[in-house]
Amino acid sequence: MATLTWQGRTIACGDESVLDALAREGVTVPSSCRAGACQSCLVRAVAGTAPSSAQKGLRASLVEQGFFLACQATLTDDLTAAPADDLPVTRATVLRVERAADDVARVFLRTDGAFEARGGQFVHVMRDDGLTRPYSLANRSGDGSLELHVRRVAGGAMSPWLCDLAAGATLHLRGPSGECVYRRDRPTQPLVLAGTGTGLAPLLGVLRDALDAGHGAPITLVHGARTLAGLYEDDALRAMAARHPMVRYEPAVLDAPEGDPRRGDFRARVAAVVKATKGARVHLCGPPETLRPVQRDTFLAGVPLGDIAADLFVTAPSR
Ligand SMILES: Cc1cc2nc3c(=O)[nH]c(=O)nc-3n(C[C@H](O)[C@H](O)[C@H](O)COP(=O)(O)OP(=O)(O)OC[C@H]3O[C@@H](n4cnc5c(N)ncnc54)[C@H](O)[C@@H]3O)c2cc1C
Ligand code: FES
C-alpha cells in the first residue's frame, strides 16, 4: 500500500483518493465537484511524482510545479504532498449584488490591484472558513472588475451566501482557471455559444471578449431556460444583437406559451444551429445533465473535439 506524507503525518492510501484519505485522517482540503472538473482540490507533490491521471486539464505551469487534483489521485507509489498554499490568492470587495431572476444574482467584484482574466474562465471563491467553489466570469478583466452570475442552490453551502452578500463585503479569489475562452487567433471562425441557466455567464464572457477583439464571423448564442423568467439577460442580449449584426441571439424556453418565438427545446435548438453553422467553434456551458448530451450531439454532428470547449458546472453529489 502506498504512503502519503502530509505535513509530517504518514497516511496509508489504499484504493481511495488522496482527498478521501486526508479526510479520513481529519485533514480538510477544499473541494467542490469531487469529479476532476473544478480544480478546487489542488495540492502539490513535494517529493515523489504526482499521478499524471490527476493532472488532466491543469495548466502546463501547474503541472510543471507538481500540482495535482486530490480528488482524482490514487497512489501506487509513496508521495509527499502539501496544500496549495503558495498559489496566489487575491482579495476582492463586493461592489454590488443585483437580482437578475428569482434564483440568479449578478455579483460585481473589484479585486485589490489588477487581476488578469479572460471572459469564460472561472475563479475559485474562497470563504474565510475554507469553503471553496468555482464561478465563471461574465467579463474579461484587466483592472480587477469581475462579474459573476450565481444561481441560488437551495440548501447550498456557498451560493445562497454569495447571493446575499452586501456591498463592501470582502472575499478571496484563486485563479483564474479554465480554457473556455475566445480564441483571438481565430477571428474569422464562426462561434456557437450555448448554455442553460447561469451557464450564460462564461458565454457572455466569451461573447464580450469576441466583440472587443472585433470578431469577424457570425456568433450565435443559444440560452436555454425552463421558463421565460430564466432568460435573465433577455433584454441585454436582444440589444446586443441589434447593435452587432453578426450576433444572433436564440433563446430556447421549454415552458414559453404556444406561439412565442422563444418557445423551444434547448438540445434541438443547439443541434439546428450547429448544423447550420459550418466550421464553428462551439462553447457549451452549464449543468452537466443538460450539456453532456448536447456535447455528444455536437461531436456526432462532425465538430472536431478541438473545436468544442465545454465548461460543465459539475457539483458534488449529495452525501
Ligand atoms: C468550472 C465550473 C464553473 C462554475 N460556474 C458557475 C457559475 O458561473 N455560476 C453558478 O451559479 N454556478 C457555477 N458553478 C457551480 C458552483 O461552483 C457550485 O457548485 C454551485 O454554486 C453550488 O454550490 P453550493 O455550495 O451552493 O452548493 P453545495 O453545498 O455544493 O450543494 C448542495 C446540494 O445541492 C446540490 N446541487 C449543487 N448544485 C446544484 C445544481 N445546480 N442543481 C441541483 N442541485 C445542485 C448538490 O449536489 C448538493 O446536494 C460552476 C462549477 C464549475 C465546476
Ligand atoms: S476537481 Fe477535485 S473537487 Fe473538483
Side-chain angles (χ1 to χ4, degrees):
M1 188 180 287
T3 298
L4 172 70
T5 305
W6 180 270
Q7 298 184 310
R9 293 166 71 172
T10 306
I11 300 168
C13 287
D15 291 341
E16 64 200 330
S17 69
V18 165
L19 187 67
D20 286 340
L22 287 167
R24 173 167 51 74
E25 293 297 314
V27 179
T28 306
V29 167
S31 68
S32 182
C33 71
R34 309 178 73 86
C38 76
Q39 303 185 14
S40 299
C41 63
L42 273 179
V43 294
R44 183 175 186 169
V46 289
T49 307
S52 57
S53 57
Q55 294 180 308
K56 281 188 195 141
L58 297 187
R59 277 201 313 275
S61 60
L62 291 176
V63 173
E64 278 160 21
Q65 295 171 72
F67 285 100
F68 64 97
L69 302 173
C71 75
Q72 296 301 293
T74 46
L75 299 188
T76 47
D77 297 309
D78 293 352
L79 185 73
T80 302
D85 291 344
D86 44 352
L87 283 177
V89 169
T90 307
R91 203 175 83 119
T93 304
V94 176
L95 296 179
R96 64 184 189 283
V97 177
E98 291 175 356
R99 195 172 122 156
D102 279 351
D103 61 348
V104 178
R106 292 185 205 92
V107 180
F108 294 89
L109 304 171
R110 163 80 66 159
T111 57
D112 289 0
F115 188 81
E116 286 291 335
R118 309 276 308 276
Q121 288 194 290
F122 55 90
V123 289
H124 287 98
V125 174
M126 302 166 77
R127 237 169 41 178
D128 288 349
D129 61 1
L131 186 75
T132 302
R133 296 280 184 270
Y135 292 93
S136 306
L137 297 175
N139 67 329
R140 187 162 63 92
S141 172
D143 66 353
S145 306
L146 304 176
E147 177 180 338
L148 313 179
H149 297 176
V150 181
R151 188 171 93 80
R152 181 189 291 270
V153 172
M158 177 70 89
S159 56
W161 177 82
L162 265 179
C163 291
D164 291 337
L165 282 176
T170 56
L171 43 77
H172 288 89
L173 305 176
R174 202 177 72 196
S177 306
E179 299 298 325
C180 187
V181 294
Y182 175 61
R183 295 275 310 254
R184 286 185 172 233
D185 58 336
R186 308 244 191 107
T188 56
Q189 182 175 24
L191 291 174
V192 175
L193 313 175
T196 59
T198 48
L200 180 61
L203 301 175
L204 203 50
V206 172
L207 175 59
R208 286 170 166 165
D209 211 355
L211 293 177
D212 280 355
H215 189 68
I219 306 174
T220 307
L221 188 149
V222 185
H223 189 206
R226 180 160 293 282
T227 63
L228 285 171
L231 297 181
Y232 63 88
E233 295 287 0
D234 200 41
D235 291 344
L237 289 169
R238 281 167 191 275
M240 207 181 269
R243 267 199 319 275
H244 300 278
M246 92 278 280
V247 175
R248 238 176 65 220
Y249 165 50
E250 294 234 11
V253 180
L254 209 54
D255 294 344
E258 286 288 351
D260 189 313
R262 294 170 293 183
R263 184 178 162 99
D265 173 68
F266 173 73
R267 184 174 175 182
R269 187 68 58 89
V270 180
V273 170
V274 167
K275 191 172 172 202
T277 317
K278 298 286 172 248
R281 176 169 164 83
V282 182
H283 289 254
L284 304 171
C285 300
E289 54 281 9
T290 314
L291 272 301
R292 272 210 185 98
V294 176
Q295 198 175 7
R296 209 166 36 242
D297 293 350
T298 303
F299 177 65
L300 292 176
V303 179
L305 276 180
D307 275 333
I308 304 175
D311 250 351
L312 306 187
F313 292 2
V314 181
T315 55
S318 341
R319 296 218 201 195

